[in-house]
Amino acid sequence: MPQKMSIRDYAGEEVEVRRQGQSEDGHRLKVTHPDGRRWICEVSLDGAVEVESTYRDGQLADIETPDWLTDELAMLARPA
């Protein structure tokens, strides 16, 4: 998995994904949406997504995890 990539939300907006680390079970990713939302996620090799923390405009915040985020990250985790 590359260090930096992008995915798209359901509206077609490009969202930045940066790999923060790797473990035996998968990858730790930082996902940054252009609207100021950010998620730190663990994605297992089988595509399970666990959100560790969420931010809005750089501040820790309790924001929802949209379906497009888990759908797109699960697809990234699966081998080609």
Side-chain angles (χ1 to χ4, degrees), residues 11-71:
E13 188 119 30
E14 189 169 331
V15 180
E16 180 181 278
V17 178
R18 287 185 178 265
R19 189 167 65 136
Q20 300 293 297
Q22 185 172 350
S23 68
E24 290 179 13
D25 299 330
H27 301 276
R28 186 166 194 259
L29 304 173
K30 177 171 75 171
V31 181
T32 306
H33 195 281
D35 69 5
R37 294 178 292 168
R38 184 175 65 201
W39 299 265
I40 305 298
C41 305
E42 284 281 338
V43 181
S44 69
L45 297 175
D46 67 357
V49 178
E50 180 180 328
V51 177
E52 292 181 353
S53 55
T54 57
Y55 300 82
R56 180 172 295 283
D57 300 322
Q59 300 294 316
L60 194 60
D62 185 19
I63 60 173
E64 75 174 70
T65 302
D67 291 338
W68 61 261
L69 178 70
T70 53
D71 291 348

Side-chain angles (χ1 to χ4, degrees), residues 1 5-7 17 29 43 71-79:
M1 183 178 283
M5 65 203 93
S6 64
I7 59 176
V17 178
L29 304 173
V43 181
D71 291 348
E72 291 292 319
L73 292 182
M75 283 194 288
L76 280 179
R78 294 187 185 114

